[in-house]
């Protein structure tokens, strides 16, 4: 049988598809083994990401690139939230700049320890009953206006972000904008897993800012039961 250009194209596509399927199987298996060996939240998420690759490869539903896109690998999670607080910018900036205050209204944070003017150590709750830790450095600091930061090498959670304090229109206080970006093995898969445990990032940051607003305006945070908390 003589090979036509159409036949060659079909064979080439079949070989490429088979190569991609094996790449998914091998890559997925490696991720699963690495994740199970690590035994941490990062390990769990890595194993889940690997499982996704294996499943897609076994069912031949997509290429390696499509699998990665489907489960959100290599895609950082970015969250932006803004709230207007009826307080002057300097008061809000000074409170936030003392990072050890943040666990008072950020429920996912266990603690923040400030080492010096630049570096601090963070411990946070995570899904599946795990904790994550990282050191972060301040990158830019403009008094009463802006703070940006980023995690240092070796962090459990690679993250960066900034908070901006800007005078709100109509003499309504200060507009506070927070932008966070972070990445874990599995990328968007991490966000999907987190949603199952009530820790969806965008809602979490929104809730944190609402509690920050309550704390700064009323001096306390009301719990869901209606009882005051965090008076100061």
């Amino acid at each position: 049988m003589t090979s036509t250009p159409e036949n060659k194209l079909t064979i080439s596509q079949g070989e490429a598809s088979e190569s991609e399927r094996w790449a998914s199987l091998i890559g997925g298996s490696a991720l699963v083994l690495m994740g199970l060996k690590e035994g941490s939240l990062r390990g769990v998420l890595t194993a889940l990401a690997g499982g996704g690759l294996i499943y897609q490869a076994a069912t031949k539903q997509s290429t390696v690139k499509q699998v990665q896109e489907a489960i959100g690998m290599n895609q950082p999670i970015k969250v932006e939230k803004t709230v207007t607080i009826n307080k002057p910018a300097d008061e809000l900036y000074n409170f936030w700049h003392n990072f050890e205050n943040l666990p008072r209204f950020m429920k996912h944070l266990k603690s923040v320890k400030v080492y010096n003017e630049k570096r601090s150590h963070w411990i946070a709750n995570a899904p599946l009953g795990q904790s994550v830790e990282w050191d972060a450095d301040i990158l830019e600091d403009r008094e009463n206006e802006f703070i940006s930061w980023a995690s240092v090498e070796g962090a459990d959670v690679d993250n960066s972000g900034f908070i901006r304090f800007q005078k709100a229109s109509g003499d309504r206080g200060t507009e506070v904008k927070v932008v966070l970006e972070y990445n874990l093995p599995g990328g968007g898969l991490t966000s999907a897993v987190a949603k199952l445990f009530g820790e969806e990032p965008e809602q979490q940051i929104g809730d944190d800012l609402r509690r920050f607003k309550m704390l700064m305006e009323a001096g306390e945070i009301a719990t869901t039961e209606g009882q005051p908390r965090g008076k100061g």
Side-chain angles (χ1 to χ4, degrees):
M1 177 178 176
T2 303
S3 294
T4 65
E6 289 79 7
N7 288 335
K8 289 180 180 179
L9 179 60
T10 301
I11 293 171
S12 176
Q13 287 176 335
E15 290 174 348
S17 176
E18 187 69 10
S19 296
E20 289 165 349
R21 189 167 74 91
W22 278 105
S24 289
L25 283 168
I26 294 169
S29 298
L31 284 174
V32 169
L33 291 173
M34 182 174 68
L36 294 176
K37 181 178 180 180
E38 191 165 338
S40 62
L41 174 65
R42 180 184 288 266
V44 170
L45 295 171
T46 300
L48 286 170
L53 282 172
I54 292 171
Y55 173 78
Q56 293 288 354
T59 56
K60 301 182 181 180
Q61 290 181 352
S62 59
T63 66
V64 175
K65 182 177 179 181
Q66 289 171 327
V67 172
Q68 291 176 333
E69 291 175 350
I71 64 175
M73 292 181 68
N74 305 321
Q75 296 180 10
I77 300 169
K78 185 174 183 180
V79 180
E80 298 186 24
K81 283 293 182 179
T82 303
V83 65
T84 300
I85 302 176
N86 190 21
K87 287 289 182 178
D90 60 339
E91 185 174 338
L92 301 178
Y93 167 89
N94 288 329
F95 186 91
W96 189 291
H97 196 282
N98 181 2
F99 298 136
E100 294 181 2
N101 281 328
L102 300 186
R104 294 177 62 182
F105 60 89
M106 290 185 170
K107 291 181 68 175
H108 65 288
L109 279 181
K110 288 185 176 181
S111 66
V112 181
K113 181 176 178 59
V114 175
Y115 291 144
N116 51 49
E117 292 182 357
K118 182 179 181 181
R119 180 161 295 187
S120 52
H121 182 75
W122 302 60
I123 303 176
N125 295 312
L128 310 179
Q130 300 286 331
S131 295
V132 289
E133 301 186 30
W134 67 92
D135 283 348
D137 284 347
I138 293 177
L139 302 180
E140 185 177 357
D141 188 356
R142 300 199 300 268
E143 188 174 6
N144 303 332
E145 293 181 5
F146 184 87
I147 309 169
S148 64
W149 62 88
S151 61
V152 302
E153 186 176 357
D156 286 342
V157 180
D158 295 324
N159 68 92
S160 60
F162 71 80
I163 181 167
R164 185 191 67 196
F165 305 91
Q166 188 173 26
K167 184 176 177 61
S169 60
D171 196 28
R172 294 181 298 117
T174 304
E175 182 182 87
V176 179
K177 179 177 183 178
V178 173
V179 176
L180 295 175
E181 184 172 296
Y182 55 98
N183 201 354
L184 280 171
L189 178 67
T190 302
S191 179
V193 172
K195 289 179 184 179
L196 297 177
F197 292 86
E199 297 289 340
E200 197 277 324
E202 188 170 1
Q203 180 181 347
Q204 182 184 83
I205 299 303
D207 290 344
D208 287 343
L209 284 180
R210 282 190 288 273
R211 284 189 290 269
F212 181 47
K213 177 180 172 72
M214 281 192 287
L215 182 59
M216 299 310 295
E217 290 183 347
E220 62 185 20
I221 299 174
T223 66
T224 54
E225 291 77 24
Q227 299 299 318
R229 184 186 67 178
K231 196 163 185 175

